[in-house]
Amino acid sequence: MSGETKTVIVGQSKPLLNYVTACITMFNSGADHVVLRSRGEAINMAVDVVQVLKKRFVSQVEISKIQIDGENVVSRDGRQLSLPVLEIELSMPKQNPA
Amino acid sequence: MSGETKTVIVGQSKPLLNYVTACITMFNSGADHVVLRSRGEAINMAVDVVQVLKKRFVSQVEISKIQIDGENVVSRDGRQLSLPVLEIELSMPKQNPA
């Protein structure tokens, strides 16, 4: 019971399963909560990661919180952009010792 | 006080502001809750709609619930696909009569 929260930042450059395995690794190393943080077009990917994780790997994982936010970013050509941010908090219920 | 819930299905074919105005119209016509439902790559757009709505149009709108789900769809070439679904419920706090 470490009560830790770890964050996975979901981008678009890596394949979906990389993020899924990152989540599994974090849960296995004792994290109670894993936050999937994604921005802009990667939001879509983050939701997909949760679905694959739940359906194919660990069905007992639960979505404990979802948050929508915005972030101001300055793009390469100097324009101000407002990017949507989605944070999904996953939690793993503790197995009761028999 | 009608207590109604209306749903806006967010796709990718129409411009962002169409969905924003659809939400505003629904709130103005008496809906208490508006659910933005989006699927697959349109999820990204739905989160963007919420941000634009909050920042530029009605700042008092609140996100009351966010839900992640999955849906099984058969694609045109006959394959089974699992699409992520994101539902964002917005609510407008009632103005107290002075």
Side-chain angles (χ1 to χ4, degrees), chain A residues 41-93:
Chain A
E41 288 179 23
I43 283 177
N44 173 12
M45 172 88 100
V47 180
D48 230 349
V49 168
V50 177
Q51 286 301 308
V52 172
L53 187 67
K54 270 190 99 162
K55 282 211 180 145
R56 287 206 242 150
F57 295 93
V58 269
S59 55
Q60 72 267 37
V61 83
E62 275 167 17
I63 299 165
S64 46
K65 203 168 67 185
I66 309 180
Q67 220 175 353
I68 286 181
D69 207 354
E71 206 169 88
N72 286 317
V73 178
V74 179
S75 69
R76 272 177 221 165
D77 50 339
R79 281 182 308 144
Q80 190 90 22
L81 290 177
S82 162
L83 275 183
V85 173
L86 183 76
E87 287 187 353
I88 306 170
E89 193 185 285
L90 300 172
S91 64
M92 183 79 85

Side-chain angles (χ1 to χ4, degrees), chain B residues 6-80:
Chain B
K6 291 200 173 173
T7 305
V8 177
I9 293 177
V10 180
Q12 282 192 299
S13 49
K14 290 180 196 160
L16 183 88
L17 282 180
N18 281 31
Y19 301 110
V20 176
T21 47
C23 291
I24 296 174
T25 312
M26 282 178 182
F27 277 126
N28 284 345
S29 67
D32 278 348
H33 300 280
V34 172
V35 176
L36 284 169
R37 189 181 157 85
S38 57
R39 209 163 75 163
E41 288 178 23
I43 283 176
N44 173 12
M45 172 87 101
V47 180
D48 231 349
V49 169
V50 177
Q51 286 301 309
V52 172
L53 187 66
K54 269 191 100 162
K55 283 210 179 145
R56 287 205 242 152
F57 295 93
V58 269
S59 56
Q60 72 266 37
V61 84
E62 275 168 16
I63 299 165
S64 46
K65 203 168 68 185
I66 309 179
Q67 220 176 353
I68 286 180
D69 207 354
E71 205 169 89
N72 285 317
V73 179
V74 179
S75 68
R76 271 177 223 165
D77 50 337
R79 281 183 309 145
Q80 191 89 21

